[in-house]
Amino acid sequence: MPRHLAGARRDRYLHRMIDLSHDWTGEDVKHLCEKHGILQRELAGILGVRLATVSDWVRGAARPSRLASVALTYLSKDLGGEVGARKKRT
């Protein structure tokens, strides 16, 4: 988040980021990795989480947090792909 944003402006910025995110599942994470040739280890490094965390997502033992979902959404868009294995829910 840009440092110059403060107060209500910062809150609007954060809400916009969250609104843009997708509710990611393990299937979505697996699809992202397979489609773009990213290893789970690499994804963990990109997102700054443990390999075990990404593995838990893919196996369905856990779901990405809201913050991780925002990061996954932006990563997916940066890679030029769709968001998740399916379209964003409305």
Side-chain angles (χ1 to χ4, degrees), residues 7-83:
R9 189 169 177 209
R10 180 192 65 225
D11 292 344
R12 284 192 305 272
Y13 177 83
L14 291 173
H15 285 294
R16 188 176 60 221
M17 282 180 51
I18 290 171
D19 288 343
L20 292 174
S21 72
H22 169 76
D23 186 19
W24 285 75
T25 65
E27 180 183 326
D28 296 331
V29 175
K30 183 177 180 181
H31 176 77
L32 175 73
C33 289
E34 289 175 350
K35 181 175 181 182
H36 297 287
I38 301 171
L39 299 174
Q40 289 183 18
R41 176 180 348 107
E42 294 169 331
L43 182 62
I46 292 167
L47 298 177
V49 298
R50 296 178 314 121
L51 172 58
T53 300
V54 175
S55 177
D56 286 347
W57 296 342
V58 171
R59 289 184 297 108
R63 291 183 67 118
S65 67
R66 186 55 128 170
L67 181 60
S69 291
V70 170
L72 285 163
T73 299
Y74 277 95
L75 175 62
S76 178
K77 288 181 180 182
D78 284 347
L79 293 173
E82 61 200 35
V83 178

